Structure formats: C-alpha cells, structure tokens
Amino acid sequence: MKRKVSIYKSFAVIFVSGFFFYSGEISQLFSKKSDYFGKIVREIKFNGNKNTSDSDINGLLELRTGKLLTKAAIDRDLKALFASGFFYFIDIKAEEMEGGVRVIFELRERPRVKDLEFIGADEVFPADLRDKMPLKDNEVITPQKVTKSRDIILQKYKDEGFFLAYVKVELGKPDPKTNLVKVRFIIDEGEEIPVAKINIYGNETIETSEIIGLMELKEEGLFEGGNFKESSFEKDKEVIQAYLRSKGYLDSELIREGTNWEIHWENAEKKNRRVIIVNIKLYEGQVYYFNGYTVAHDMTTDGEGRPIFLNKENNPPETPKDKLKPLFTISEIEKSLDYSSKDAGEVFDETVFSRDRATVNELYGSKGHIFAQVIPRRKIVSLDSESLEYYENCASRRTELEKKACEEEYKQLNIRKLRELYRDNPELRGRKFVHVDFTIRENNLAQIENVIIKGNKKTQDKVIRRELLFKPGDLFDSSMVNRSRERIFNLGYFKEVNFNMRPGSDDTKMNLVIEVLEQPTGTVSMGGGYGTITGFTIFTEIGENNLNGTGQKVSGRLEFGPYRRSFQISWTEPWMYDTPWSLSLSMFYFSRSIFLGSTSTISISDSTTAPTVENATYDNNGLGVTMGVAHRLGTNWTHFHRYTPAFYSYSNPTALVSDAVLANVRRGWQFRSQVTNGIAYDIRDNVFAPTRGYDLLFQVDNVGQYLGGTSHFDQYRVLAEYYHTWFDFTFGGLIRNNALRRWRVVQEFRTSDTFIFQRSPAGGSHNQDPVQDPYIRPQDLLIIGGYESLRGWYYNDQKYPVEWRDGAQHRLLFDTEIRIPIEPSLLWLVVFLDGGALYEQTNRAVGTKKDYFESYDKNKADQIAANPLGWYIQNNFNLQNGRKADVTYDELNNPGRLILSADNVAMDRMRYSWGVGLRVQIPVLPLRIYFAQKLKPTGNFWAPFERYESDNAFQFVFGIGDYRF
C-alpha cells in the first residue's frame, strides 16, 4: 500500500505589497524524512502550472530521476523555483512507488500579462512606452515589475515636460483557464510646464544669445511654445559644453551648483499656473590654440624581442626589430586627419580633435583591428619668451641625451612656428598652445563571436541575419558592418537600426548587438494618382511587405480613371530556401487610352455652339502574368530575369487614328511574349530618401522573335543615379546640434537611356507583313514630356518635331535636382534642371515613314521652288499666332537631325526645362508640386540656356505618385 505524505505541509509564502517571505529551513516542516531521504527519485511531477512548461521547470531543478532524494537538493530547488519569479506558492509532496519515490510539486503560478492598455496617453506614443517597460505580453506579473513600469511611464512624461502627470495601474481578474491578466495604465497627463526664463551666468566672452541659440529648450514666446523637457535640458548641457570646447575653452565646465531648473508660480499671489526657470552657470577659462599632432606607433617589444602592441600578421615572431611593419604608415594616417601642421596657431577645436581620433580608429576598424587604441597625450606650450627659449637653447643641455631629446621636442612642438606667431601676433602672447602626441597600439584582430538581435517582435531573426555581410567567426570590418546596417534599414521594416559592440569571451573577440525598432509594414490605402499621360485616377491598394515576419511581400491594387483602368496582384519571396535568390509572381490587367498627336476642330453651323475639338485616340488593353527570379551577387550586385506572356488588343478608335491603328483593332487580341534580363549595382545609403551613393542598371528586353507573338524587337535600357550631400544644417560643424545632421542638402544626378531596335521573327518564315502589321506597336514607342520625364513640356508639344509626337524608338533623359530639406522625413524644397530627346532609326523606318525620311530633301526643294514665300512663312513663323518661330520648321523637322547618330546626340538637339517645387513624401500619397519653365540651348558656355521668347511662362506641374522624380 502506497503512502502519500506532504513534505512541506501547507508551506506558507506571505505576499504583502510585492514582497515574498520564505520561511527558511526545510527541516522544520519536513515530516517522516527518514522514510524518503536517501531513496532514489523515480518520477517528478508538476501540478498547477499552466503557462510554464514542465521542461522549463525541470531546467530550474537540480533534482533528477535516478538521483538520491536529499534535503540539500530539495532546499536548493525550492529556492530556485521562488527565485524564478514564476510562482507565489509551492508545496512539495512525496509518495512511495516501486523502487523509490515520486516527488510532486504543487504549484500556483503568478498571473501573466494578457494585454497592456494605455488609457489617456495622447502626448506619448504607447509603442514608445512598451519598448522600455519590463512588463511585456505573456510576461509574469510581479509587484516590482508593475512599480518599475509605472516609474518608466512617469519618467517618459517628465522627459517630455509633463511634470504633473499621474499614472494609476489596474489589474484585471485572472482568466481561470489561462491565468492571464489584462493590465491597464490609466494616465492623467496633466499640463506641460513652459520655460519662462533661461538664465546664463559666468560667460565673459561667449555671448548669451549665442548659447541660447544652441539650446533645444526655448523660452515661451509668441512663436515658441517653450515647453520644458528634462531630456532636452540634459542634452543642452552637453551641447553647451561641446560648443565651448570647440571654441578652444578646454578648461570650461558647467558648475553643478548653479546649473539647474526650478518650478515657480508664474504669479506667486494668484498661483494661476506653474512655469520653469532654467539656470546655466558656466566657467569659460582661457582659449587654447592648436600646435600640431605627432603620430607614432607603439613599438614596444617583450623580453624576446617580439612586438607587444603591433599587428601580428605583418610581424611574425622572427621579424627583426628594424623590419617591423605597422598596418598603416605615419603619412597614411596623417592624410586622413582634418588637422594638419598648417593649422598650427588656429583655435583648438575639441570636436575636430575627437573626430580625428575617431578617424584613426575607423581606419583600423576597416582592417579588423577594432581593439586598436589611439592614445592621446597633450603637451601645453605657453607662448612666451621664457618657454620658447627653453626649447631654442638645446645646446646648453648637459648631456648628449638631453640635447637630442630637446631637439626632437623643438621639431615636434613647432617652436619655429611659435616664434613667428610670437613676433607677428602680439595679441597671442601668453596664450596656451596644445600639441597632441598620438600613440597607436594596433593590438589584435577582432573576431565577431556572436551576433545578438534585439527588438524584433514580428520580424524573424533570419530575415535580419541574411542581410549581414559577415557571420560569427569573421574578422570585424567596419565598412561591412556599416553597409549591413544600411541593408537592414533598406528593408523598410524598421524605424531604427542600431549596431553596438560588447566585449567577447576574450580580448580577441567581440559581440555585435543589433537593436531594431519595428514599424508597421502592412498597408490598406485608398487615394488618387495623376500623370501627364494617365490623367487622374483613384485607386485602392492592400499590401504587406513583411508577411508573418518572413520578409515576403504580397499586394493587390485596383485603379480606375477616365484614361486608365488596371488591376494587379503580386507576391514576392525575397529569399527562396534561405538563399539569395528571390521569386516573384504577378498577374495584371490594364486598359488605357492612348492620345496621338493629331487633332481636328469641327465647326457647327449653329453660331451659338462652340467648335468641337476631336483627338486621335484609341484604347490599349493588356492581360498577362509575370514570373521573375533575381539573385544577389556579393555585396551590391543583383541580376534579375523575368518572363511575361501577355495578350494585347486595340479598341475604341476615333476617326483620326492612323490606318495602322485601325488594322490592329481589326486583328483583336494578339499574343506577345517577352523575356527581361538585367543586372544592377546599388550602394545608396537609403533607397527611400538617398543622401549619398549611386545605383546603376542595365536591362535588356527581348520581345517576340524566337519567343513567338506579333511584336518583334529588342529594348536596351541604361539607368544611372548618383546622390551627393553637399552639407548638412550644422554647416560643417559650425552649429553644434546633432539633430541638424539629418537636414542634408542633397543633389541628385540621373540619366535614363532607352534604345529599341526592330527585329525579325525567328526562322524568317513568318508571314507577318511589317508594313501592314508593324513589329513595333505604337504603344511600345517612347514618348517624352510631362511629369514622368520632362517637366514643363507636354508629350505632343508644338516645339517638338512632328515625328516625336507619335513616339520614337530611342530616348535620352537626364536631370539634376537639388533637394533642400524643410523636414527630412516629409518635405523638401527642390530646384531642378531636366533635359531629354527622342531619336529615330531611319534604316528601320518602313511604310509612309520611310517615304517621308527618304524624300524629305526632294519635297522641301519642290515646295521652295513652287512657293518660295509660302515656304519662308511656314518655315519661320508660327501659323497659329503669327509670331516669329523660336525654331524654324526645317530645323525642327529635318530627318537628318532626328536620327540616332554621334552628331545628333548633342546639347543643341535636346529639350530642357528648369524650375522649383516641393516634394511631399506622404507614404500613401506622395505629392510632387513644381513650377517649370522651358529652356533652349544657346551654345554659349557661360550662358548655356535662355528662355523661349514666345513661350516663357512657368508651367504648373503636379503629380501624385512617384513615377520618376
């Protein structure tokens, strides 16, 4: 008969205000211990655990089946279970069983968080609170965690200036099945407290207004809210200290006793509202001046003559001392520094000095020497006669060793230059000059031991790890680390991506911690779009760019407008089977109205009715699918391949369309087969808002030919973009505000060149007549003008050659745009210059176009001979308004000037525009608003452009959606 005895009868744990009382000795509660201690544990059971698995509990225990049951083991396990924080009551029982005993743990779990709710949080985003709180979804609730979470919320509000905020915590009833509890934080934010006055004390040289201008805190005024934030106060102290030292005040400091903030009543009698007085008390000290750098490697050797601090790769143990080789030479290091010997006599800027020191560290980090040390030692020389003479009279030293040391210091400390300053600049006499000796210890190569990822709740670790250009075990390379950070950010899943380094298991290893802050990746949007060709459209779109945290993308879009109707659904797997191959599938349908250059004005006899203008238009319809793969090569290269089988048709032609369009309408749906191959190179820092770097694209489309169908041509496309940051709003460090580094003035340079070459069907046996049924369809020809390509021009502009208005086979585009941030994440002011041209290929011209090209000169001569005056008027005047034409008709339409040739790819053959505008980067609805003016080339290098006399007004150009710019 089995006996069951409680080892701890009603073991009591008292829970009062978040503290647990553990009674201590097991021996006081254990009964009949002689019956169980010393016996073999055959089974361990757990009762009452709902959210903590048996395996997790087992991991906390020392007790194991097959071991002897001992008092010490029970004592340690009990303490370990309580220390875990998962349980508030534990009763350990035992019962006899065959061959030993069964130990039973009766447990009562602490409740866990079902959901966190923030009520009244209007001025602070709940997401910002969740990330910092110890209470998380499905985490164990303890009084300590509740209290700490409440304190974190209050501190966040305090940092934001809400000193009167109050937070109350409510815990719901535990769910009896899951033991989960809803936690509610009820927040009374109170009011922000404004800054009534900022007092600056102790400054003798630096103007008070200059210091206040640096501060993030502002006094309350007509144009300033002036609300106080403690985080801003702490940041301002650092900014002021850094600014003083950048001005040469190396001894400056903020005096603790006088630097503070105080809460007062704005009116002590009325006590109507509270305000804050900010006090900054500083000590300037004297200005120090720069006196040069000396850079040297630490060549110290051990007892056996081996270098201690020099790199081991270039210096094996048998290397003689005179053959030791540092990783970088002194001259290579000095070239990378901002300060040089030429700057001796300038005010010593602590910021430049710190940047130079960091530059050397970065230089070694790029070679894997992340543990390299750059040790500065400052020498102060006073610019007075006594100090200079001390170094100038080396001959008076007693020993040769002292003489040599003096002569070296004479050179290092630039005494000759200091003597010149003493003679020529009396105002500098008595000032202190700083010389810095940099000693470099190259130390060991650093190996990445572990890569730790934090902050990703939705995104799987592998999605982040596969963007890394290194792996555990690799040598640290700062350039690869920085590029990896950019690649992770360019995924678009994270608001912030930060890399931090932590010490590893020994002095040759380090751990890399990647901290990310996720942002929403799903979109459900409705809006409108506008393009010069497409007109206005409305659309609805549903998408998810990080499906289930796997990085997969799925989207669907429905668009409708008077000139364009379309539907598209697509899916992309960016890493098939965890390899750098991507797979994309999509299906599409569209129907768009095509406007040709021809128009006709129809007059009706009724004088009250305005003339009707009829356009040459037809509808182009398409239905197909696209299947594509892409492969990432190395760090920045990608090659891609797509196949698109589709059916196209023409419909709804007007009376003015050409016979070729009508023939296509009669043919109905026609098959088209296209293969696309391309390669791209991209090193932009941010694909969403680039500020530096460039990308290149080369793409070839093979249409028809061996693939079948009725369209037969090859299309080649080259795209190149380059982004350069000229400066940020710190103006090279003149303004000491790190936040302003985001305000970067960026210039974009872009060219896009597309070339179409007609081909023949494969085998030569195809019965398609290229004159009646062209191999290149009208919709495949290239156009120019409008928001999508050349701002300020329309696609069938009167200043275009007639041949351009129906499209051409070749197109060259370029633009440059300076973007000045007003708010970097939302709004930029832009100034742009666009250029572009279309070109024909006369040896591919067929039908009427061939006749036009070949007989142009003869027809021109015949017209001049028949009617010289009429030809002169037509050639030199605009017949619509009677004004003299800016460009003659012959110059505009001569086929010899329209073909693709080396002579015609020139500035004077292109069309240009310039203008100003705004880029509004609303994620769902990016807006582009421009005012553009047409330009014509002059051929003058110093004044290359001028306005058209007859068409010099600025055109309003509006776009919704990022078609090109």
Side-chain angles (χ1 to χ4, degrees), residues 5 95 121 145 200 237 263 368 376-377 424 483 627 713 754 908 947:
V5 178
E95 62 183 21
K145 288 183 180 180
I200 309 294
K237 290 195 297 183
I263 300 180
R377 186 167 64 92
D424 300 336
R483 184 58 181 155
M627 298 159 283
F713 62 89
T754 308
D908 64 335
R947 298 175 300 175

Coordinates of all heavy atoms in Angstrom, one line a residue, residues 5 95 121 145 200 237 263 368 376-377 424 483 627 713 754 908 947:
V5 N 2.7 11.5 1.7 CA 2.9 12.4 2.8 C 3.4 13.7 2.2 O 4.2 13.8 1.3 CB 4.0 11.8 3.7 CG1 4.3 12.8 4.9 CG2 3.6 10.5 4.3
E95 N 5.6 10.5 -2.5 CA 4.9 9.2 -2.2 C 5.8 8.1 -2.7 O 6.6 8.2 -3.6 CB 3.6 9.2 -2.9 CG 3.7 9.3 -4.4 CD 2.3 9.4 -5.1 OE1 1.4 9.8 -4.4 OE2 2.2 9.1 -6.3
A121 N -3.2 58.2 -22.9 CA -1.9 58.5 -23.5 C -2.1 59.2 -24.8 O -2.1 58.6 -25.9 CB -1.0 57.3 -23.6
K145 N 7.8 44.6 -11.1 CA 7.7 45.0 -12.5 C 6.6 46.0 -12.7 O 6.7 46.9 -13.5 CB 7.4 43.8 -13.3 CG 8.5 42.8 -13.5 CD 8.1 41.6 -14.4 CE 9.3 40.7 -14.6 NZ 8.9 39.6 -15.5
I200 N 21.7 82.6 -18.2 CA 23.1 82.2 -18.4 C 24.0 83.0 -17.6 O 24.0 84.2 -17.7 CB 23.5 82.3 -19.9 CG1 22.4 81.7 -20.8 CG2 24.9 81.7 -20.2 CD1 22.3 80.2 -20.7
K237 N 22.9 70.7 -21.9 CA 24.2 70.9 -21.1 C 25.3 70.3 -21.9 O 26.4 70.8 -21.9 CB 24.0 70.1 -19.8 CG 23.0 70.8 -18.8 CD 23.2 70.4 -17.4 CE 22.8 68.9 -17.3 NZ 22.9 68.5 -15.9
I263 N 10.9 75.0 -10.5 CA 9.4 75.3 -10.8 C 8.9 76.4 -9.9 O 9.1 76.4 -8.7 CB 8.6 74.0 -10.6 CG1 9.1 72.9 -11.5 CG2 7.1 74.3 -10.8 CD1 8.3 71.6 -11.3
G368 N 39.8 45.3 -39.5 CA 39.6 44.3 -38.5 C 40.2 44.5 -37.1 O 40.0 43.7 -36.2
P376 N 46.0 59.6 -26.8 CA 46.5 60.9 -27.0 C 47.2 61.4 -25.7 O 46.8 61.1 -24.6 CB 45.2 61.8 -27.2 CG 44.2 61.0 -26.5 CD 44.6 59.6 -26.5
R377 N 48.2 62.2 -25.9 CA 48.9 62.8 -24.7 C 49.2 64.3 -25.1 O 49.8 64.6 -26.1 CB 50.2 62.1 -24.4 CG 50.9 62.7 -23.1 CD 52.0 61.7 -22.7 NE 53.1 61.7 -23.7 CZ 54.2 62.5 -23.7 NH1 54.3 63.4 -22.7 NH2 55.1 62.4 -24.6
D424 N 54.9 88.1 -34.7 CA 53.9 88.7 -35.6 C 52.5 89.0 -35.0 O 51.7 89.8 -35.5 CB 53.7 87.9 -36.9 CG 55.0 87.7 -37.7 OD1 55.9 88.6 -37.5 OD2 55.2 86.7 -38.4
R483 N 27.7 48.9 -43.9 CA 26.9 48.5 -45.1 C 25.8 47.6 -44.7 O 24.6 47.7 -45.2 CB 27.8 47.9 -46.2 CG 27.0 47.6 -47.5 CD 26.4 48.8 -48.1 NE 25.7 48.6 -49.3 CZ 24.7 49.3 -49.8 NH1 24.3 50.4 -49.1 NH2 24.1 48.9 -50.9
M627 N 6.6 36.2 -64.3 CA 7.3 35.3 -63.4 C 8.8 35.8 -63.4 O 9.3 35.9 -64.5 CB 7.2 33.9 -63.8 CG 5.7 33.4 -63.8 SD 5.5 31.9 -64.9 CE 5.4 32.7 -66.5
F713 N 11.1 43.0 -81.3 CA 12.1 44.0 -81.1 C 12.9 43.7 -79.8 O 12.5 42.9 -79.0 CB 11.5 45.4 -81.0 CG 10.6 45.6 -79.8 CD1 11.1 46.1 -78.6 CD2 9.2 45.4 -79.9 CE1 10.2 46.3 -77.5 CE2 8.3 45.6 -78.9 CZ 8.8 46.0 -77.6
T754 N 17.1 54.7 -73.3 CA 16.4 53.6 -73.7 C 16.5 53.5 -75.3 O 16.3 54.5 -76.0 CB 14.9 53.6 -73.3 OG1 14.8 53.9 -71.9 CG2 14.2 52.3 -73.7
D908 N 22.5 70.8 -78.3 CA 21.6 71.6 -79.0 C 20.4 70.9 -79.7 O 19.5 71.4 -80.2 CB 22.4 72.4 -80.1 CG 23.0 71.5 -81.2 OD1 23.2 70.3 -80.8 OD2 23.2 72.0 -82.3
R947 N 15.5 81.6 -72.3 CA 14.0 81.3 -72.4 C 13.6 81.4 -73.9 O 14.2 82.1 -74.7 CB 13.2 82.3 -71.6 CG 13.6 82.2 -70.1 CD 12.8 83.3 -69.3 NE 13.2 84.6 -69.8 CZ 12.6 85.7 -69.4 NH1 11.6 85.7 -68.5 NH2 13.0 86.9 -69.8

